[in-house]
Amino acid sequence: MSEQARKSDIDSNGEIIISLDAMGGDNAPDIVIKGAELAYRSLENIKFRIFGNKKKIMPIMAKYEALSNISKIIHTEEFISADEKPSSALRRGRNSSMYMAIDSVNNNEAHAIISAGNTGALMAISKFVLRTLPGIDRPAIGGLLPTEKGYCVMLDLGANIHCDAENLFEFAVMGNAFARSVLGLARPTVGLLNVGTEKNKGHETLRLAATLIEESGIDINFYGFIEGSDINAGTADVIVADGFTGNVALKTAEGTARFFVNTAKKSMLSSPFGILGMAIAYPAINKIKKRLDPRNYNGAMLLGLNGIVVKSHGGTDEIGFANAIKVTYKLAKNHINQQIIKEMVSSGHVPAEGDDADIDIE
Amino acid sequence: MSEQARKSDIDSNGEIIISLDAMGGDNAPDIVIKGAELAYRSLENIKFRIFGNKKKIMPIMAKYEALSNISKIIHTEEFISADEKPSSALRRGRNSSMYMAIDSVNNNEAHAIISAGNTGALMAISKFVLRTLPGIDRPAIGGLLPTEKGYCVMLDLGANIHCDAENLFEFAVMGNAFARSVLGLARPTVGLLNVGTEKNKGHETLRLAATLIEESGIDINFYGFIEGSDINAGTADVIVADGFTGNVALKTAEGTARFFVNTAKKSMLSSPFGILGMAIAYPAINKIKKRLDPRNYNGAMLLGLNGIVVKSHGGTDEIGFANAIKVTYKLAKNHINQQIIKEMVSSGHVPAEGDDADIDIE
């Protein structure tokens, strides 16, 4: 069933229905339900379909009457564990909360699905159930990162270890639609991650991808090549990389951030002046913490599938999960997949069948 | 002329002679001379050969009598500019300060050479003049990064865009010798940068490189695969990557560090409590600054050449240049290239002639 048909079927009454895998993530189903409770009030016409073990979900839901009224709980006792192999999850997981939640998108019972569970399983089942969008060869994982100017979108964060120029072109189209939908930018700038900004830098694949984007005739505000230091600087709104490079860059940025926080803490706490200074500067420090809090940009999309699938960080709390719901809502509301299809058609890139991806995020 | 012959010729009186390209870098020759003045007192039996324009060098040297006594200035009016192409530098640069300084190592007039100039030109001329060490196919750029535990060595930082498993094996051997020489570690741990820690993760090239290292029979404390988040965490003492990945990771870490400092500053300065807190915590903040100051780990080595060539950051000041001198001194004192040759011989890897490298650092 095509994305077009899918949307029109369930958009009739203006509702956005989001399916939640209540059993995925380190603190499921607690953070899933509490996250939904935190998120729904600011999101117009939202409804939830919650998949998981009723015995575990109901005691939490009992506290939230209004949330219960806009949610439908679909019971299943099975779930995909964090360390289950994608192939095994796909084979034996048909009655799991994750699989059933994904299936609800395929059955037009929901616009989108969120899971904080096993990324590899989520990608494998989603690809099997939903298939890829016309013209998209390989799905990619796209997420948000904080920058000097706000946020940027980076993809692929680890779904595809090997990528050719055509894949990178498709990532550019998908990242562009993601930034428009979630960041509300009319014409986001798109950069290709490389080792230098000059045209002759890097792999042949990157130079070819740049040409594909430049000559595609579609509405992409192409910035050109960018470097690792441009990611957090906010030089481009969308950062395109193969899944190997994107994953290394994402984790390096996370690691450097952690190192800074730890070093700062250690130094400040090692002297009474540091402690006093921190106490006085507390409101300002709080502002920094909030600005850099990964919960505030939780919610990565499995882009390129014929349905909206969002991955929440497995270790997040209800605030992080609520943000993943907000991201998902924007993706559905702004019809991200329609945008991608439109660009792919207008670029004249021929539809191709999806291929297997190695999952290497988290 | 072999490295063995080179060392014995000039080691006789226990001196370490370092050649300085006085004309390389944004603030040359000022920072070069002042850096030498800062460094030499803590380094036993050090002597300098300083290559560059006497008219510019002498007015600065005039202030430093003791430094003048241990330095020999070799005059040349030519230099390699920052934006000159490596091929052009190689062709027309024979009388440049950089070329002459490198040549002094080849002529056994010095143990090592430092330049803060054009990285591409430095690599091209060094490869042409010094050639690669026996068994080393491609030179790599290795540098220091701060970690939770101290410092780590990372290579390749951008000399080789495409690397095979054999190249990565050689990088592991060279990084190991670098960490021993500069960090003073007896058995540094060596990690291969990947998208996950499990054995089946990433490229085939990485898995092959892991096998080569494990089965080499040489004395390497191999940690296995590490991820981007492990770099600053200090999980491994030596981080091995191809030049593309290493360059992206290095610049991402630098960018994230800059982003943190800027965000913290902006937030602190935006409120009077923040400013007051910072003033009180100043000694602690100073400690953080010092810990993370890139000048403190300035000095990347062009590893794998038949001679010690160190690249200082082009934009550094005299403190940074002094640190590059200290790094170079340790590399020469600990005979890093002898260590590399010994390991390559004992691993049974057959000597191969050097190949062209694309330079993409800075």
PDB file of all heavy atoms in Angstrom, chain A residues 204-216:
ATOM      1  N   GLU A 204      35.994   9.762  -3.814  1.00  0.00           N
ATOM      2  CA  GLU A 204      35.297   9.920  -5.089  1.00  0.00           C
ATOM      3  C   GLU A 204      33.771   9.861  -4.872  1.00  0.00           C
ATOM      4  O   GLU A 204      33.022  10.632  -5.481  1.00  0.00           O
ATOM      5  CB  GLU A 204      35.757   8.796  -6.036  1.00  0.00           C
ATOM      6  CG  GLU A 204      35.101   8.767  -7.391  1.00  0.00           C
ATOM      7  CD  GLU A 204      35.349  10.029  -8.201  1.00  0.00           C
ATOM      8  OE1 GLU A 204      36.280  10.782  -7.864  1.00  0.00           O
ATOM      9  OE2 GLU A 204      34.578  10.262  -9.150  1.00  0.00           O
ATOM     10  N   THR A 205      33.337   8.973  -3.975  1.00  0.00           N
ATOM     11  CA  THR A 205      31.895   8.825  -3.689  1.00  0.00           C
ATOM     12  C   THR A 205      31.283  10.143  -3.238  1.00  0.00           C
ATOM     13  O   THR A 205      30.176  10.502  -3.642  1.00  0.00           O
ATOM     14  CB  THR A 205      31.700   7.761  -2.573  1.00  0.00           C
ATOM     15  OG1 THR A 205      32.337   6.558  -2.980  1.00  0.00           O
ATOM     16  CG2 THR A 205      30.227   7.499  -2.306  1.00  0.00           C
ATOM     17  N   LEU A 206      32.015  10.882  -2.417  1.00  0.00           N
ATOM     18  CA  LEU A 206      31.503  12.159  -1.913  1.00  0.00           C
ATOM     19  C   LEU A 206      31.421  13.187  -3.029  1.00  0.00           C
ATOM     20  O   LEU A 206      30.472  13.969  -3.104  1.00  0.00           O
ATOM     21  CB  LEU A 206      32.412  12.673  -0.791  1.00  0.00           C
ATOM     22  CG  LEU A 206      32.201  12.010   0.562  1.00  0.00           C
ATOM     23  CD1 LEU A 206      33.336  12.351   1.513  1.00  0.00           C
ATOM     24  CD2 LEU A 206      30.873  12.441   1.159  1.00  0.00           C
ATOM     25  N   ARG A 207      32.424  13.202  -3.892  1.00  0.00           N
ATOM     26  CA  ARG A 207      32.425  14.160  -5.001  1.00  0.00           C
ATOM     27  C   ARG A 207      31.281  13.847  -5.966  1.00  0.00           C
ATOM     28  O   ARG A 207      30.603  14.742  -6.467  1.00  0.00           O
ATOM     29  CB  ARG A 207      33.782  14.145  -5.709  1.00  0.00           C
ATOM     30  CG  ARG A 207      34.916  14.654  -4.808  1.00  0.00           C
ATOM     31  CD  ARG A 207      36.203  14.891  -5.577  1.00  0.00           C
ATOM     32  NE  ARG A 207      36.825  13.650  -6.003  1.00  0.00           N
ATOM     33  CZ  ARG A 207      37.764  12.991  -5.322  1.00  0.00           C
ATOM     34  NH1 ARG A 207      38.191  13.457  -4.166  1.00  0.00           N
ATOM     35  NH2 ARG A 207      38.285  11.881  -5.795  1.00  0.00           N
ATOM     36  N   LEU A 208      31.046  12.573  -6.175  1.00  0.00           N
ATOM     37  CA  LEU A 208      29.945  12.140  -7.041  1.00  0.00           C
ATOM     38  C   LEU A 208      28.598  12.514  -6.416  1.00  0.00           C
ATOM     39  O   LEU A 208      27.679  12.969  -7.117  1.00  0.00           O
ATOM     40  CB  LEU A 208      30.015  10.617  -7.197  1.00  0.00           C
ATOM     41  CG  LEU A 208      29.777  10.066  -8.589  1.00  0.00           C
ATOM     42  CD1 LEU A 208      30.983  10.347  -9.476  1.00  0.00           C
ATOM     43  CD2 LEU A 208      29.551   8.548  -8.524  1.00  0.00           C
ATOM     44  N   ALA A 209      28.484  12.308  -5.105  1.00  0.00           N
ATOM     45  CA  ALA A 209      27.235  12.643  -4.411  1.00  0.00           C
ATOM     46  C   ALA A 209      26.959  14.141  -4.516  1.00  0.00           C
ATOM     47  O   ALA A 209      25.816  14.566  -4.727  1.00  0.00           O
ATOM     48  CB  ALA A 209      27.306  12.210  -2.950  1.00  0.00           C
ATOM     49  N   ALA A 210      28.012  14.943  -4.393  1.00  0.00           N
ATOM     50  CA  ALA A 210      27.857  16.400  -4.507  1.00  0.00           C
ATOM     51  C   ALA A 210      27.307  16.765  -5.882  1.00  0.00           C
ATOM     52  O   ALA A 210      26.395  17.598  -6.011  1.00  0.00           O
ATOM     53  CB  ALA A 210      29.194  17.098  -4.259  1.00  0.00           C
ATOM     54  N   THR A 211      27.831  16.125  -6.905  1.00  0.00           N
ATOM     55  CA  THR A 211      27.352  16.380  -8.270  1.00  0.00           C
ATOM     56  C   THR A 211      25.888  15.951  -8.420  1.00  0.00           C
ATOM     57  O   THR A 211      25.077  16.682  -9.003  1.00  0.00           O
ATOM     58  CB  THR A 211      28.221  15.617  -9.294  1.00  0.00           C
ATOM     59  OG1 THR A 211      29.593  15.939  -9.036  1.00  0.00           O
ATOM     60  CG2 THR A 211      27.865  15.993 -10.711  1.00  0.00           C
ATOM     61  N   LEU A 212      25.555  14.794  -7.882  1.00  0.00           N
ATOM     62  CA  LEU A 212      24.159  14.310  -7.953  1.00  0.00           C
ATOM     63  C   LEU A 212      23.204  15.315  -7.315  1.00  0.00           C
ATOM     64  O   LEU A 212      22.139  15.605  -7.859  1.00  0.00           O
ATOM     65  CB  LEU A 212      24.017  12.960  -7.235  1.00  0.00           C
ATOM     66  CG  LEU A 212      24.434  11.698  -7.978  1.00  0.00           C
ATOM     67  CD1 LEU A 212      24.222  10.471  -7.092  1.00  0.00           C
ATOM     68  CD2 LEU A 212      23.642  11.537  -9.279  1.00  0.00           C
ATOM     69  N   ILE A 213      23.585  15.841  -6.163  1.00  0.00           N
ATOM     70  CA  ILE A 213      22.716  16.797  -5.457  1.00  0.00           C
ATOM     71  C   ILE A 213      22.613  18.096  -6.248  1.00  0.00           C
ATOM     72  O   ILE A 213      21.526  18.627  -6.468  1.00  0.00           O
ATOM     73  CB  ILE A 213      23.240  17.080  -4.028  1.00  0.00           C
ATOM     74  CG1 ILE A 213      23.227  15.798  -3.187  1.00  0.00           C
ATOM     75  CG2 ILE A 213      22.410  18.172  -3.352  1.00  0.00           C
ATOM     76  CD1 ILE A 213      23.940  15.910  -1.851  1.00  0.00           C
ATOM     77  N   GLU A 214      23.775  18.565  -6.712  1.00  0.00           N
ATOM     78  CA  GLU A 214      23.796  19.841  -7.443  1.00  0.00           C
ATOM     79  C   GLU A 214      22.986  19.772  -8.737  1.00  0.00           C
ATOM     80  O   GLU A 214      22.354  20.745  -9.139  1.00  0.00           O
ATOM     81  CB  GLU A 214      25.243  20.226  -7.778  1.00  0.00           C
ATOM     82  CG  GLU A 214      25.942  20.947  -6.639  1.00  0.00           C
ATOM     83  CD  GLU A 214      27.456  21.000  -6.824  1.00  0.00           C
ATOM     84  OE1 GLU A 214      27.982  20.261  -7.686  1.00  0.00           O
ATOM     85  OE2 GLU A 214      28.116  21.764  -6.095  1.00  0.00           O
ATOM     86  N   GLU A 215      23.036  18.622  -9.388  1.00  0.00           N
ATOM     87  CA  GLU A 215      22.400  18.523 -10.703  1.00  0.00           C
ATOM     88  C   GLU A 215      21.035  17.842 -10.668  1.00  0.00           C
ATOM     89  O   GLU A 215      20.469  17.517 -11.714  1.00  0.00           O
ATOM     90  CB  GLU A 215      23.340  17.772 -11.660  1.00  0.00           C
ATOM     91  CG  GLU A 215      24.622  18.553 -11.906  1.00  0.00           C
ATOM     92  CD  GLU A 215      25.627  17.798 -12.756  1.00  0.00           C
ATOM     93  OE1 GLU A 215      25.347  16.640 -13.122  1.00  0.00           O
ATOM     94  OE2 GLU A 215      26.695  18.384 -13.055  1.00  0.00           O
ATOM     95  N   SER A 216      20.504  17.641  -9.459  1.00  0.00           N
ATOM     96  CA  SER A 216      19.248  16.903  -9.344  1.00  0.00           C
ATOM     97  C   SER A 216      18.044  17.714  -9.815  1.00  0.00           C
ATOM     98  O   SER A 216      17.011  17.144 -10.152  1.00  0.00           O
ATOM     99  CB  SER A 216      19.018  16.502  -7.892  1.00  0.00           C
ATOM    100  OG  SER A 216      18.830  17.674  -7.109  1.00  0.00           O
TER     101      SER A 216
END
